[in-house]
C-alpha cells in the first residue's frame, strides 16, 4: 500500500487526541472532529494508515542500529560513535542510531492510537462487503491487534516488561501504572497476534497491499516467542535486582518456550504462502546479483511484512551510505569485523593467517559479501562528472597508491577517491574502508535524488532461521540443518554438517550474514548474552596499499590487511536500556532497569 500523508491528514490524526467537546460544539473547517472520524470508515482507514507510517525503519533517515553493534560504524560528524557510550546513554542512542519513533514515549503514543481505535470501533458504520475475504471491520480490527503487539514488541525487546495499557488515557487521567512482568507481556502480545491472525486475510490486493496479513501476525508471534526462549530472558544476569520478573522468566520451563517458538515458526512455514527468492539458483546465475535484486525489488515471494515507498516520500539512505567519491556521506560503513565473518566460497572460516586468503581477501567469498558490502575494487555506478577522471573504471577506491616521484626522489601517496583523503569530499569518507551495498539503488543518483526501495520488516528467511534456532535448542539438529541449508543453497554456499556447539556457532554466524543490516543483530547479541564477547574488543578496519615495486613501478594488486580501529567496552546493564527520568517522574510506580 502506498501511503502519503499531507497536512490535512496529520491534522485529522492530531484531532483524535483532543477533548470530546469542542469549545463552540462545532467542527473546525480545517480538521476533522473526533466524532466525524468514527462515523466514516474512510477516515478510520486514514487513522490506521498513520500507525503504519509510525512503524520505523532505517531507510528513511539513513541510520541503522547496525552502527550500535558489530556490523557498522556511523561516521556522522565525528570520528566514531562509541558503542558503549551510545548504549549507556539513551539520549545518544536515540540521537544517533534510533529514530524518535522507537522511544518509550512515542511507542506509547502509537499504542494509545491503537487503544483509541478499540474504544471507538463499534461506533463505525462499516459495510458487510468482503474484500480479500474479510469485512473492513474485521480487517481493521486485525490490523490494530497486530500493530499493538508490534509496538509492545519494540518496547519489551528494549526494556523488558512494561506497563500493559489497553485503554486510551486522556489528559485528565493519572499516568500511574506498574510494569507488567516480562512473561505477562509475552502472553499479551501473542494473544493479540492470535486475534490478528484470525481476522486478517492471507493476502491483500490492490491498494491494500502492504497491510498486515495473517502471515505477518504469525511471523511476529514466532519472533516474539524466539526472543522469549533466549538466554537473556531465562538466566539470572542481574542477581539482586528487586523485580527480576520484569526482565526474565521466573519458572524453569524453558523447553516449553523453545517448543512454542518452533511451533510458531512452523505455522508460518505451513501456510505454504512464502518462498525464498530464487531459492534454487542455476549454475549460470550470478548469485550476488540475485541477492542484490531481493533488496531492490518492490515485491518478492519472500516478503511477509514490508513498507513501500514512493519518490515523494523517498529515502535518504542512498545519500547517507554511498561512497564519498560519489558525493555520498559514507555513514553506515561495514566494519572489518563484520567482513571477516563472511565465509569463503567453499564454506571455510576466513583467516588472515592463511597466505592464500590474505593475498586476495575479497575473492571467492560467500556471494552475500558482494551483495552487502562495497569494497575496494568493487564495480559501482558511473562517477559524477567531477570524479570521472579520477576513476574511469567506476570501481570503489578505498586504498592508496605508492607512486615514485622522480623529482623529489621520494614516494608520493595517492589516495583513492573514496578514502578519507579523497580530493572529492574528504570529510565524508568512511573510516572502515568499506561502504554499504545492501539497499543502495545504483540507478539513483543519491547526491541529488531520493530512492524508494522497499523495506522488509519480516521476510521468509528470518522465519526459517527462527525455526532452525528453536530446533537446535531442542536437540533436533537434523531438522535444523534442513532449514538452515535452504538458505545456504540460495546463497550458493555448501551445506552445513556441524553438530553440537559447532552447529550453534555456525547458525549464529549464518544469521549474522543473512540478516545483516536488517535491524536484528542489535537484539540477537543481547538475547544471546554476547555483550562482553562482542563489545570488549578493538574493532578492525581495512588498510589497503598498492605498494611500490623495486623498479619504482606501482603494484597493480593491493596489499590488504585489517588493522585495529577503535576500542569499545561493555557493561551488563546495556542488555536493557534505561527508562528515561521524564517517564519515571510521570509515573512513580515505574521501577528502573538494573544498573541505572
Amino acid at each position: 500500500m502506498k501511503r502519503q500523508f499531507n497536512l490535512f491528514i496529520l491534522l485529522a490524526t492530531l484531532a483524535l487526541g483532543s477533548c470530546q467537546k469542542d469549545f463552540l460544539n462545532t467542527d473546525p473547517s480545517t480538521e476533522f472532529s473526533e466524532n466525524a472520524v468514527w462515523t466514516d470508515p474512510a477516515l478510520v482507514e486514514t487513522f490506521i494508515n498513520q500507525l503504519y507510517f509510525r512503524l520505523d525503519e532505517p531507510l528513511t533517515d539513513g541510520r541503522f542500529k547496525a552502527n550500535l553493534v558489530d556490523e557498522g560504524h556511523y561516521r556522522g560528524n565525528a570520528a566514531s560513535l562509541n558503542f558503549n557510550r551510545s548504549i549507556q546513554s539513551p539520549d545518544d542512542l536515540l540521537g544517533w542510531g534510533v529514530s524518535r519513533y522507537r522511544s518509550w514515549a512515542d511507542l506509547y503514543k502509537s499504542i494509545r492510537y491503537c487503544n483509541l481505535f478499540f474504544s471507538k470501533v463499534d461506533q463505525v458504520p462499516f459495510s458487510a462487503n468482503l474484500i480479500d475475504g474479510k469485512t473492513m471491520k474485521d480487517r481493521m480490527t486485525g490490523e490494530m491487534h497486530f500493530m499493538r503487539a508490534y509496538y509492545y514488541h519494540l518496547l519489551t525487546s528494549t526494556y523488558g516488561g512494561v506497563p500493559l495499557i489497553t485503554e486510551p488515557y486522556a489528559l485528565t487521567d493519572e499516568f500511574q501504572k506498574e510494569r507488567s512482568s516480562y512473561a505477562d507481556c509475552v502472553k499479551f502480545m501473542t494473544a493479540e497476534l492470535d486475534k490478528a491472525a484470525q481476522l486478517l486475510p492471507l493476502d491483500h490486493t490492490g491498494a491494500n497491499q502492504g497491510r498486515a496479513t495473517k502471515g505477518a501476525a504469525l511471523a511476529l508471534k514466532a519472533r516474539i516467542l524466539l526472543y522469549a526462549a533466549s538466554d537473556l530472558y531465562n538466566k539470572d544476569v542481574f542477581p539482586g535486582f528487586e523485580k527480576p520478573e520484569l526482565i526474565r522468566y521466573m519458572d524453569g520451563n524453558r523447553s516449553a518456550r523453545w517448543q512454542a517458538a518452533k511451533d510458531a515458526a512452523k505455522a508460518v512455514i505451513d501456510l505454504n504462502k512464502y518462498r525464498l527468492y530464487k531459492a534454487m539458483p542455476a549454475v549460470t546465475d550470478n548469485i550476488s546479483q540475485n541477492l542484490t535484486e531481493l533488496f531492490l525489488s518492490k515485491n518478492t515471494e519472500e516478503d511477509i511484512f514490508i513498507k513501500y515507498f514512493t519518490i515523494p516520500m523517498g529515502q535518504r539512505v542512498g545519500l547517507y551510505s554511498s561512497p564519498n567519491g560519489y558525493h555520498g556521506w559514507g555513514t553506515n560503513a561495514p566494519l572489518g569485523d563484520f567482513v571477516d565473518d563472511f565465509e569463503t566460497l567453499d564454506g571455510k572460516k576466513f583467516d588472515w593467517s592463511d597466505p592464500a586468503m590474505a593475498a586476495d581477501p575479497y575473492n571467492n567469498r560467500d556471494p552475500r559479501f558482494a551483495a552487502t558490502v562495497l569494497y575496494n575494487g568493487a564495480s559501482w555506478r558511473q562517477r559524477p562528472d567531477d570524479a570521472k577522471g579520477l576513476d574511469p573504471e567506476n570501481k570503489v577506491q578505498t586504498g592508496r597508491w605508492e607512486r615514485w616521484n622522480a623529482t623529489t626522489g621520494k614516494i608520493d601517496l595517492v589516495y583513492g577517491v573514496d578514502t578519507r583523503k579523497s580530493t572529492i569530499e574528504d570529510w565524508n569518507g568512511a573510516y572502515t574502508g568499506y561502504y554499504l551495498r545492501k539497499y543502495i539503488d545504483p540507478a539513483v543518483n543519491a547526491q541529488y535524488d531520493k530512492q524508494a526501495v522497499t523495506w522488509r520488516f519480516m521476510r521468509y528467511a528470518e522465519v526459517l532461521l527462527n525455526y532452525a534456532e528453536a530446533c537446535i535448542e531442542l536437540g533436533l539438529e537434523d531438522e535444523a540443518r534442513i532449514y538452515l541449508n535452504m538458505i545456504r543453497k540460495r546463497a550458493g554456499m555448501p551445506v552445513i554438517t556441524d553438530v553440537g556447539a559447532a552447529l550453534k556457532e555456525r547458525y549464529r554466524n549464518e544469521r549474522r550474514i543473512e540478516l545483516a543490516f536488517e535491524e536484528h543483530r542489535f537484539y540477537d547479541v543481547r538475547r544471546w548474552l554476547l555483550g562482553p564477547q562482542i563489545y570488549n574488543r578493538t574493532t578492525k578496519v581495512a588498510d589497503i596499499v598498492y605498494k611500490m615495486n623495486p623498479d619504482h613501478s606501482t603494484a597493480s594488486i593491493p596489499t590488504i590487511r585489517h588493522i585495529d580501529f577503535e576500542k569499545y567496552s561493555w557493561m551488563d546493564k546495556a542488555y536493557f536500556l534505561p527508562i528515561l527520568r521524564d517517564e519515571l517522574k510521570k509515573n512513580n510506580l515505574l521501577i528502573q532497569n538494573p544498573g541505572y
Side-chain angles (χ1 to χ4, degrees):
M1 180 189 60
K2 298 178 180 178
R3 307 176 196 86
Q4 300 178 0
F5 300 90
N6 55 28
L7 180 61
F8 186 64
I9 292 175
L10 290 176
L11 287 171
T13 302
L14 291 173
L16 301 180
S18 63
C19 297
Q20 292 187 4
K21 294 183 179 180
D22 293 314
F23 181 68
L24 296 177
N25 200 30
T26 58
D27 295 344
S29 61
T30 57
E31 60 185 38
F32 298 117
S33 72
E34 182 176 341
N35 290 334
V37 169
W38 302 110
T39 59
D40 187 340
L43 294 182
V44 176
E45 187 160 72
T46 296
F47 174 88
I48 292 175
N49 289 349
Q50 174 70 355
L51 270 293
Y52 282 98
F53 179 81
R54 294 175 68 83
L55 278 176
D56 192 45
E57 37 66 35
L59 300 186
T60 298
D61 64 7
R63 292 186 290 186
F64 292 76
K65 281 203 293 292
N67 302 319
L68 301 174
V69 71
D70 60 342
E71 289 180 300
H73 175 261
Y74 184 80
R75 181 194 56 75
N77 295 316
S80 71
L81 171 62
N82 183 281
F83 286 7
N84 196 52
R85 185 193 72 203
S86 63
I87 294 165
Q88 298 309 310
S89 167
D91 293 329
D92 275 347
L93 180 67
L94 295 173
W96 289 92
V98 180
S99 153
R100 67 184 180 88
Y101 288 127
R102 292 176 183 149
S103 71
W104 175 287
D106 217 80
L107 288 170
Y108 271 110
K109 184 176 181 179
S110 298
I111 289 168
R112 183 184 182 278
Y113 290 152
C114 296
N115 294 340
L116 185 59
F117 170 87
F118 288 118
S119 73
K120 301 290 186 180
V121 63
D122 288 336
Q123 302 176 18
V124 183
F126 290 111
S127 75
N129 294 337
L130 297 180
I131 301 175
D132 299 318
K134 300 290 181 178
T135 65
M136 183 177 279
K137 180 179 181 180
D138 282 352
R139 186 260 290 174
M140 288 185 177
T141 303
E143 287 178 277
M144 288 296 94
H145 282 299
F146 173 85
M147 287 292 184
R148 188 159 64 175
Y150 205 117
Y151 286 117
Y152 271 116
H153 165 61
L154 294 175
L155 281 166
T156 56
S157 299
T158 306
Y159 300 101
V162 296
L164 289 174
I165 298 172
T166 58
E167 300 295 329
Y169 277 124
L171 291 176
T172 55
D173 293 329
E174 289 191 17
F175 301 97
Q176 302 296 310
K177 180 79 171 179
E178 293 182 344
R179 295 173 65 179
S180 296
S181 70
Y182 178 75
D184 283 346
C185 288
V186 172
K187 187 182 299 183
F188 175 80
M189 291 184 288
T190 55
E192 286 286 278
L193 293 167
D194 285 340
K195 295 173 186 175
Q198 290 295 318
L199 295 168
L200 291 169
L202 188 59
D203 290 293
H204 287 292
T205 58
N208 284 335
Q209 292 183 67
R211 296 185 180 277
T213 61
K214 178 178 182 178
L218 295 179
L220 180 56
K221 178 182 177 181
R223 182 190 294 179
I224 289 169
L225 290 173
L226 184 83
Y227 282 26
S230 300
D231 289 346
L232 178 60
Y233 306 105
N234 290 273
K235 293 187 177 182
D236 190 4
V237 183
F238 300 97
F241 180 49
E242 59 181 312
K243 290 284 188 178
E245 67 272 16
L246 298 180
I247 55 174
R248 66 180 177 91
Y249 281 96
M250 300 303 294
D251 65 75
N253 198 14
R254 193 176 179 189
S255 292
R257 287 190 274 280
W258 281 120
Q259 185 64 47
K262 174 180 177 290
D263 292 344
K266 193 61 163 59
V268 182
I269 295 169
D270 287 346
L271 290 174
N272 291 316
K273 158 72 179 168
Y274 308 106
R275 300 286 184 274
L276 291 175
Y277 179 70
K278 297 192 174 181
M280 305 290 287
V283 175
T284 57
D285 274 5
N286 181 329
I287 297 177
S288 291
Q289 183 59 35
N290 288 354
L291 298 167
T292 296
E293 290 171 5
L294 169 60
F295 294 98
L296 295 182
S297 298
K298 184 176 181 180
N299 300 289
T300 76
E301 60 267 40
E302 191 164 333
D303 301 338
I304 297 178
F305 185 51
I306 63 178
K307 181 177 181 178
Y308 292 119
F309 286 82
T310 59
I311 292 301
M313 295 168 65
Q315 302 158 350
R316 302 181 74 192
V317 67
L319 176 63
Y320 268 55
S321 301
S322 293
N324 56 319
Y326 292 89
H327 297 287
W329 294 0
T331 57
N332 309 310
L335 285 165
D337 314 62
F338 169 64
V339 169
D340 286 345
D341 283 341
F342 285 88
E343 297 173 359
T344 59
L345 199 54
D346 58 0
K348 294 180 181 177
K349 184 175 177 59
F350 183 83
D351 186 356
W352 284 101
S353 65
D354 184 312
M357 293 184 190
D360 196 1
Y362 305 145
N363 189 33
N364 292 321
R365 299 293 288 272
D366 183 327
R368 288 171 290 191
F369 170 61
T372 307
V373 179
L374 286 176
Y375 53 90
N376 186 68
S379 296
W380 193 229
R381 67 187 310 274
Q382 183 174 312
R383 293 281 180 181
D385 289 342
D386 57 349
K388 285 181 179 178
L390 301 172
D391 173 28
E393 296 181 345
N394 300 315
K395 292 185 176 181
V396 174
Q397 298 180 0
T398 56
R400 61 189 184 276
W401 283 259
E402 294 181 350
R403 307 284 192 193
W404 180 251
N405 188 324
T407 302
T408 63
K410 295 180 180 179
I411 295 175
D412 288 341
L413 292 179
V414 178
Y415 285 84
V417 71
D418 302 307
T419 67
R420 292 286 303 172
K421 294 188 178 182
S422 168
T423 55
I424 305 292
E425 298 191 6
D426 55 355
W427 64 93
N428 266 340
Y431 284 81
T432 68
Y434 300 106
Y435 290 89
L436 185 64
R437 170 68 182 92
K438 198 171 187 176
Y439 308 113
I440 313 304
D441 187 348
V444 175
N445 184 352
Q447 180 184 2
Y448 301 109
D449 303 322
K450 292 183 179 181
Q451 63 176 45
V453 171
T454 298
W455 172 256
R456 289 161 171 86
F457 290 106
M458 288 178 275
R459 61 186 180 95
Y460 191 53
E462 181 204 342
V463 174
L464 298 182
L465 288 164
N466 293 348
Y467 183 75
E469 181 174 346
C471 287
I472 290 170
E473 296 293 345
L474 290 167
L476 304 173
E477 294 188 353
D478 289 343
E479 181 83 351
R481 283 189 292 269
I482 289 172
Y483 288 85
L484 198 53
N485 286 326
M486 290 180 185
I487 296 172
R488 301 273 293 182
K489 184 174 184 61
R490 189 264 294 277
M493 294 295 290
V495 299
I496 288 174
T497 59
D498 302 75
V499 299
L503 176 59
K504 180 184 287 190
E505 182 179 354
R506 201 77 179 277
Y507 161 78
R508 289 182 173 182
N509 194 70
E510 185 69 17
R511 186 179 179 94
R512 170 162 166 72
I513 298 304
E514 176 65 28
L515 302 180
F517 285 83
E518 295 184 44
E519 306 283 75
H520 291 278
R521 181 69 173 174
F522 179 86
Y523 298 111
D524 287 345
V525 165
R526 282 156 179 74
R527 68 185 181 86
W528 291 333
L529 293 178
L530 297 181
Q533 176 183 329
I534 298 302
Y535 288 100
N536 284 336
R537 58 182 174 145
T538 301
T539 57
K540 304 292 184 182
V541 297
D543 181 67
I544 302 167
V545 186
Y546 292 82
K547 291 187 174 181
M548 180 173 292
N549 295 319
D551 64 356
H552 289 173
S553 63
T554 300
S556 59
I557 298 175
T559 298
I560 303 172
R561 59 184 182 137
H562 278 176
I563 60 175
D564 289 348
F565 179 43
E566 291 182 338
K567 187 173 183 179
Y568 298 122
S569 58
W570 175 260
M571 298 177 70
D572 281 350
K573 66 181 182 179
Y575 282 123
F576 297 98
L577 289 187
I579 301 171
L580 296 181
R581 280 188 292 270
D582 284 351
E583 301 302 328
L584 296 173
K585 290 176 182 178
K586 294 175 189 175
N587 180 1
N588 59 28
L589 296 181
L590 290 178
I591 293 175
Q592 182 60 281
N593 275 329
Y596 297 100

